[in-house]
Amino acid sequence: MTLPEFESAIFAQTPTSSDHYDSEYFTGEWRAEGNNYNLETRRAIEASNPQLIRDVFRPTKALDLGCGPGALMHLLWELGVDVEGIDFAESSRQLATPEVRDRILIGNTYEHLKPANAFDLVISREVLEHLTVFQVKKTVENMVRMTSRFVYCTTRFHPEPHSLIDFTTQFDVDPTHITLLNKDFLRLMFVIEGCRSRPDLEARMDWGNKGRVLVMEKVPVSLGG
Ligand SMILES: C[S@@+](CC[C@H](N)C(=O)[O-])C[C@H]1O[C@@H](n2cnc3c(N)ncnc32)[C@H](O)[C@@H]1O
């Protein structure tokens, strides 16, 4: 993708409406291999992930941005992690367990709904591929703003990017997978917001070796003046 092609492509993107993420989206039968967002289905899929999150990051206060119906929040809550969530879909709260429902705030990933440095771990899993590039940029900025230390992201990346700015879609898996970025491009967005890569923690979180994980750590950046 050339820069002019990238420019045209990002201006042509349309954000997905929150209405799309209804109970059919989360609990319907449309996903491959019986995957859905029921707690017990997620418990099986997540396996040791919640424990790993707790052991690797040792969070005092965590945020799950784009939390959906809060299954990961619930599993972290069971492990004693103080976790909050943000999602723009009203159905997220409706489908969440009573234990975490009131910890979910309805809003956009890029809205300033929480104070700066309010969490020492900001998680965002399988969300960025649902956003436009403009939304990803603002969301990255917001994640870094809200964390005092770690950002842990999983997303789908472009499988064969030819340049840093190449991005693609993945409508066969989910019609809302509108932005699969080059992994280096997403990493670069975090770096220029003031984060450094943590390949050691990334390797621990990406135990399945799927290459979908980014772990970044916020560092104080001097702007001079
Ligand atoms: C595939 S689900 C992932 C849910 C959860 N993070 C997980 O891994 O199970 C994508 C989630 O992103 C949320 N989402 C998409 N765009 C959003 C936006 N602009 N602001 C807030 N949430 C958004 C959707 O409502 C949905 O819950």
Side-chain angles (χ1 to χ4, degrees), residues 16 21 25-26 31 37 42 46 64-69 86-89 92 107-110 124-127 130-131 135 174 177:
T16 305
Y21 302 94
Y25 179 84
F26 289 116
R31 278 195 179 77
Y37 284 84
R42 297 311 296 178
E46 290 287 355
D64 190 358
L65 191 63
C67 59
I86 295 177
D87 199 287
F88 76 166
S92 301
N108 262 293
T109 50
Y110 43 85
S124 187
R125 299 195 329 169
E126 311 299 300
V127 177
H130 297 262
L131 307 180
Q135 289 177 320
D174 184 326
H177 282 181

Short mmCIF file of all heavy atoms in Angstrom, two decimals, residues 16 21 25-26 31 37 42 46 64-69 86-89 92 107-110 124-127 130-131 135 174 177, ligand 1:
data_model
loop_
_atom_site.label_atom_id
_atom_site.label_comp_id
_atom_site.label_asym_id
_atom_site.label_seq_id
_atom_site.Cartn_x
_atom_site.Cartn_y
_atom_site.Cartn_z
N THR A 16 -18.07 1.26 12.90
CA THR A 16 -19.20 0.36 13.17
C THR A 16 -20.01 0.93 14.33
O THR A 16 -19.46 1.40 15.32
CB THR A 16 -18.67 -1.05 13.55
OG1 THR A 16 -17.82 -1.49 12.50
CG2 THR A 16 -19.81 -2.04 13.75
N TYR A 21 -23.32 -4.56 18.04
CA TYR A 21 -22.86 -5.48 19.09
C TYR A 21 -24.01 -5.75 20.06
O TYR A 21 -24.01 -5.27 21.19
CB TYR A 21 -21.62 -4.91 19.79
CG TYR A 21 -20.48 -4.65 18.83
CD1 TYR A 21 -20.30 -3.39 18.26
CD2 TYR A 21 -19.60 -5.67 18.47
CE1 TYR A 21 -19.27 -3.16 17.36
CE2 TYR A 21 -18.56 -5.44 17.58
CZ TYR A 21 -18.41 -4.18 17.03
OH TYR A 21 -17.38 -3.96 16.14
N TYR A 25 -24.89 -10.74 18.42
CA TYR A 25 -23.44 -10.67 18.16
C TYR A 25 -22.68 -11.50 19.20
O TYR A 25 -21.78 -12.26 18.87
CB TYR A 25 -22.95 -9.22 18.17
CG TYR A 25 -21.45 -9.14 17.93
CD1 TYR A 25 -20.94 -9.15 16.63
CD2 TYR A 25 -20.56 -9.10 19.00
CE1 TYR A 25 -19.56 -9.13 16.41
CE2 TYR A 25 -19.19 -9.08 18.78
CZ TYR A 25 -18.69 -9.10 17.49
OH TYR A 25 -17.33 -9.09 17.27
N PHE A 26 -23.06 -11.33 20.46
CA PHE A 26 -22.27 -11.96 21.52
C PHE A 26 -22.65 -13.41 21.79
O PHE A 26 -21.79 -14.21 22.18
CB PHE A 26 -22.38 -11.16 22.83
CG PHE A 26 -21.66 -9.84 22.77
CD1 PHE A 26 -22.36 -8.65 22.87
CD2 PHE A 26 -20.29 -9.79 22.61
CE1 PHE A 26 -21.70 -7.43 22.82
CE2 PHE A 26 -19.61 -8.57 22.55
CZ PHE A 26 -20.32 -7.39 22.65
N ARG A 31 -20.67 -17.68 14.98
CA ARG A 31 -19.20 -17.81 15.02
C ARG A 31 -18.74 -19.24 14.74
O ARG A 31 -19.47 -20.19 15.05
CB ARG A 31 -18.66 -17.41 16.39
CG ARG A 31 -18.51 -15.94 16.54
CD ARG A 31 -17.65 -15.61 17.74
NE ARG A 31 -17.51 -14.18 17.83
CZ ARG A 31 -18.47 -13.39 18.30
NH1 ARG A 31 -19.59 -13.90 18.71
NH2 ARG A 31 -18.28 -12.10 18.32
N TYR A 37 -19.83 -15.69 23.77
CA TYR A 37 -19.37 -14.93 24.93
C TYR A 37 -20.00 -15.35 26.24
O TYR A 37 -19.94 -14.62 27.23
CB TYR A 37 -19.54 -13.42 24.67
CG TYR A 37 -18.46 -12.94 23.73
CD1 TYR A 37 -18.60 -13.06 22.36
CD2 TYR A 37 -17.27 -12.43 24.23
CE1 TYR A 37 -17.59 -12.68 21.50
CE2 TYR A 37 -16.24 -12.04 23.39
CZ TYR A 37 -16.42 -12.16 22.03
OH TYR A 37 -15.40 -11.79 21.19
N ARG A 42 -16.31 -18.96 27.60
CA ARG A 42 -15.10 -18.13 27.70
C ARG A 42 -14.12 -18.72 28.71
O ARG A 42 -12.91 -18.67 28.53
CB ARG A 42 -15.43 -16.69 28.11
CG ARG A 42 -16.27 -15.92 27.14
CD ARG A 42 -15.82 -15.98 25.72
NE ARG A 42 -14.52 -15.38 25.46
CZ ARG A 42 -13.93 -15.37 24.26
NH1 ARG A 42 -14.51 -15.95 23.23
NH2 ARG A 42 -12.77 -14.80 24.11
N GLU A 46 -10.48 -19.28 27.61
CA GLU A 46 -9.43 -18.48 28.28
C GLU A 46 -8.40 -19.38 28.97
O GLU A 46 -7.24 -19.00 29.11
CB GLU A 46 -10.05 -17.54 29.32
CG GLU A 46 -10.85 -16.39 28.73
CD GLU A 46 -9.97 -15.33 28.08
OE1 GLU A 46 -8.74 -15.43 28.17
OE2 GLU A 46 -10.54 -14.43 27.45
N ASP A 64 -10.38 -3.23 31.45
CA ASP A 64 -10.57 -3.97 30.21
C ASP A 64 -11.34 -3.08 29.26
O ASP A 64 -12.54 -2.85 29.42
CB ASP A 64 -11.32 -5.28 30.50
CG ASP A 64 -11.34 -6.20 29.28
OD1 ASP A 64 -10.80 -5.81 28.22
OD2 ASP A 64 -11.90 -7.31 29.39
N LEU A 65 -10.64 -2.55 28.27
CA LEU A 65 -11.22 -1.59 27.32
C LEU A 65 -11.81 -2.36 26.14
O LEU A 65 -11.09 -3.09 25.45
CB LEU A 65 -10.12 -0.63 26.86
CG LEU A 65 -10.55 0.60 26.08
CD1 LEU A 65 -11.43 1.53 26.92
CD2 LEU A 65 -9.31 1.38 25.61
N GLY A 66 -13.12 -2.18 25.91
CA GLY A 66 -13.81 -3.00 24.90
C GLY A 66 -14.07 -4.38 25.49
O GLY A 66 -13.82 -5.41 24.88
N CYS A 67 -14.58 -4.36 26.72
CA CYS A 67 -14.69 -5.59 27.54
C CYS A 67 -15.79 -6.53 27.07
O CYS A 67 -15.84 -7.68 27.51
CB CYS A 67 -14.90 -5.22 29.00
SG CYS A 67 -16.41 -4.21 29.24
N GLY A 68 -16.72 -6.06 26.20
CA GLY A 68 -17.85 -6.90 25.84
C GLY A 68 -18.62 -7.27 27.11
O GLY A 68 -18.66 -6.48 28.07
N PRO A 69 -19.25 -8.47 27.14
CA PRO A 69 -20.04 -8.85 28.32
C PRO A 69 -19.21 -9.17 29.56
O PRO A 69 -19.75 -9.71 30.54
CB PRO A 69 -20.81 -10.07 27.83
CG PRO A 69 -20.78 -9.99 26.35
CD PRO A 69 -19.46 -9.36 26.00
N ILE A 86 -14.85 -0.90 30.08
CA ILE A 86 -15.53 0.10 29.25
C ILE A 86 -15.90 -0.57 27.93
O ILE A 86 -15.07 -1.28 27.34
CB ILE A 86 -14.62 1.33 28.97
CG1 ILE A 86 -14.30 2.09 30.25
CG2 ILE A 86 -15.28 2.26 27.93
CD1 ILE A 86 -13.35 3.27 30.08
N ASP A 87 -17.12 -0.38 27.50
CA ASP A 87 -17.54 -0.86 26.18
C ASP A 87 -18.68 0.04 25.71
O ASP A 87 -19.47 0.51 26.54
CB ASP A 87 -18.03 -2.32 26.25
CG ASP A 87 -18.01 -2.99 24.89
OD1 ASP A 87 -18.87 -2.65 24.04
OD2 ASP A 87 -17.13 -3.84 24.64
N PHE A 88 -18.76 0.28 24.39
CA PHE A 88 -19.83 1.18 23.92
C PHE A 88 -21.16 0.47 23.69
O PHE A 88 -22.15 1.12 23.41
CB PHE A 88 -19.38 2.01 22.73
CG PHE A 88 -19.30 1.34 21.38
CD1 PHE A 88 -19.19 2.12 20.22
CD2 PHE A 88 -19.30 -0.03 21.22
CE1 PHE A 88 -19.10 1.55 18.97
CE2 PHE A 88 -19.20 -0.62 19.97
CZ PHE A 88 -19.11 0.18 18.85
N ALA A 89 -21.18 -0.88 23.78
CA ALA A 89 -22.42 -1.63 23.54
C ALA A 89 -23.21 -1.78 24.83
O ALA A 89 -22.71 -2.36 25.81
CB ALA A 89 -22.09 -3.00 22.96
N SER A 92 -23.43 -5.14 26.52
CA SER A 92 -22.33 -5.63 27.36
C SER A 92 -22.77 -5.72 28.81
O SER A 92 -22.56 -6.74 29.47
CB SER A 92 -21.13 -4.68 27.31
OG SER A 92 -20.68 -4.55 26.02
N GLY A 107 -19.24 3.42 26.99
CA GLY A 107 -18.58 4.54 26.32
C GLY A 107 -17.61 4.05 25.27
O GLY A 107 -17.36 2.84 25.14
N ASN A 108 -17.09 4.99 24.52
CA ASN A 108 -16.16 4.67 23.44
C ASN A 108 -14.74 4.45 23.96
O ASN A 108 -14.35 5.04 24.97
CB ASN A 108 -16.14 5.81 22.43
CG ASN A 108 -17.04 5.51 21.25
OD1 ASN A 108 -16.74 4.61 20.48
ND2 ASN A 108 -18.12 6.23 21.14
N THR A 109 -13.99 3.66 23.21
CA THR A 109 -12.61 3.33 23.61
C THR A 109 -11.72 4.58 23.67
O THR A 109 -10.72 4.57 24.35
CB THR A 109 -11.98 2.36 22.60
OG1 THR A 109 -12.17 2.88 21.28
CG2 THR A 109 -12.58 0.98 22.70
N TYR A 110 -12.10 5.61 22.92
CA TYR A 110 -11.22 6.79 22.84
C TYR A 110 -11.74 7.96 23.68
O TYR A 110 -11.13 9.01 23.71
CB TYR A 110 -11.04 7.22 21.37
CG TYR A 110 -12.31 7.20 20.58
CD1 TYR A 110 -13.18 8.28 20.60
CD2 TYR A 110 -12.65 6.07 19.84
CE1 TYR A 110 -14.37 8.23 19.90
CE2 TYR A 110 -13.84 6.01 19.14
CZ TYR A 110 -14.69 7.09 19.17
OH TYR A 110 -15.88 7.04 18.49
N SER A 124 -6.74 -4.55 26.29
CA SER A 124 -7.71 -4.43 25.22
C SER A 124 -7.53 -5.61 24.29
O SER A 124 -6.54 -5.70 23.57
CB SER A 124 -7.54 -3.12 24.46
OG SER A 124 -8.61 -3.00 23.55
N ARG A 125 -8.48 -6.52 24.35
CA ARG A 125 -8.31 -7.75 23.57
C ARG A 125 -9.38 -7.87 22.51
O ARG A 125 -10.57 -7.76 22.79
CB ARG A 125 -8.33 -8.95 24.51
CG ARG A 125 -7.16 -8.84 25.51
CD ARG A 125 -6.90 -10.12 26.21
NE ARG A 125 -8.13 -10.85 26.37
CZ ARG A 125 -8.20 -12.11 26.76
NH1 ARG A 125 -7.10 -12.77 27.01
NH2 ARG A 125 -9.34 -12.70 26.89
N GLU A 126 -8.92 -8.09 21.29
CA GLU A 126 -9.82 -8.31 20.14
C GLU A 126 -10.76 -7.13 19.94
O GLU A 126 -11.96 -7.32 19.73
CB GLU A 126 -10.60 -9.63 20.31
CG GLU A 126 -9.74 -10.82 20.68
CD GLU A 126 -8.68 -11.16 19.65
OE1 GLU A 126 -9.05 -11.44 18.50
OE2 GLU A 126 -7.48 -11.12 19.99
N VAL A 127 -10.24 -5.94 20.04
CA VAL A 127 -11.04 -4.72 19.89
C VAL A 127 -10.51 -3.84 18.75
O VAL A 127 -11.28 -3.37 17.91
CB VAL A 127 -11.05 -3.90 21.20
CG1 VAL A 127 -11.81 -2.59 21.03
CG2 VAL A 127 -11.64 -4.72 22.35
N HIS A 130 -11.65 -3.89 15.21
CA HIS A 130 -13.04 -3.45 14.97
C HIS A 130 -13.13 -1.94 14.75
O HIS A 130 -14.22 -1.42 14.49
CB HIS A 130 -13.92 -3.82 16.17
CG HIS A 130 -14.03 -5.28 16.39
ND1 HIS A 130 -15.09 -6.04 15.95
CD2 HIS A 130 -13.19 -6.15 16.99
CE1 HIS A 130 -14.90 -7.30 16.28
NE2 HIS A 130 -13.74 -7.40 16.92
N LEU A 131 -12.02 -1.23 14.90
CA LEU A 131 -12.04 0.23 14.84
C LEU A 131 -11.48 0.72 13.51
O LEU A 131 -10.71 0.03 12.86
CB LEU A 131 -11.19 0.80 15.98
CG LEU A 131 -11.52 0.32 17.40
CD1 LEU A 131 -10.58 0.99 18.41
CD2 LEU A 131 -12.97 0.60 17.75
N GLN A 135 -9.87 5.82 14.73
CA GLN A 135 -10.28 5.40 16.08
C GLN A 135 -9.14 4.67 16.80
O GLN A 135 -8.97 4.83 18.01
CB GLN A 135 -11.51 4.49 16.02
CG GLN A 135 -12.80 5.21 15.61
CD GLN A 135 -13.97 4.23 15.50
OE1 GLN A 135 -13.82 3.12 15.00
NE2 GLN A 135 -15.13 4.65 15.94
N ASP A 174 -15.35 -12.01 10.70
CA ASP A 174 -16.30 -11.12 11.38
C ASP A 174 -16.44 -9.88 10.49
O ASP A 174 -15.44 -9.22 10.17
CB ASP A 174 -15.71 -10.75 12.76
CG ASP A 174 -16.66 -9.90 13.60
OD1 ASP A 174 -17.40 -9.07 13.03
OD2 ASP A 174 -16.64 -10.04 14.83
N HIS A 177 -14.42 -6.75 11.34
CA HIS A 177 -12.94 -6.73 11.34
C HIS A 177 -12.48 -5.84 10.19
O HIS A 177 -12.16 -6.31 9.11
CB HIS A 177 -12.37 -8.14 11.20
CG HIS A 177 -12.42 -8.93 12.46
ND1 HIS A 177 -11.94 -10.22 12.55
CD2 HIS A 177 -12.86 -8.61 13.70
CE1 HIS A 177 -12.11 -10.66 13.79
NE2 HIS A 177 -12.67 -9.70 14.50
C1 LIG B 1 -14.79 -9.10 19.58
S1 LIG B 1 -15.44 -8.19 20.92
C2 LIG B 1 -14.18 -8.45 22.16
C3 LIG B 1 -14.73 -8.42 23.56
C4 LIG B 1 -13.71 -8.74 24.66
N1 LIG B 1 -12.64 -7.77 24.70
C5 LIG B 1 -13.14 -10.12 24.49
O1 LIG B 1 -11.99 -10.28 24.12
O2 LIG B 1 -13.89 -11.07 24.75
C6 LIG B 1 -15.18 -6.50 20.44
C7 LIG B 1 -15.72 -5.54 21.46
O3 LIG B 1 -15.32 -4.22 21.13
C8 LIG B 1 -16.37 -3.35 21.44
N2 LIG B 1 -16.19 -2.12 20.66
C9 LIG B 1 -16.07 -2.00 19.32
N3 LIG B 1 -15.90 -0.72 18.97
C10 LIG B 1 -15.91 0.00 20.13
C11 LIG B 1 -15.78 1.38 20.43
N4 LIG B 1 -15.62 2.29 19.46
N5 LIG B 1 -15.83 1.77 21.72
C12 LIG B 1 -16.02 0.84 22.71
N6 LIG B 1 -16.14 -0.47 22.49
C13 LIG B 1 -16.09 -0.90 21.21
C14 LIG B 1 -17.61 -4.13 21.03
O4 LIG B 1 -18.79 -3.64 21.62
C15 LIG B 1 -17.23 -5.52 21.53
O5 LIG B 1 -17.62 -5.71 22.86
#
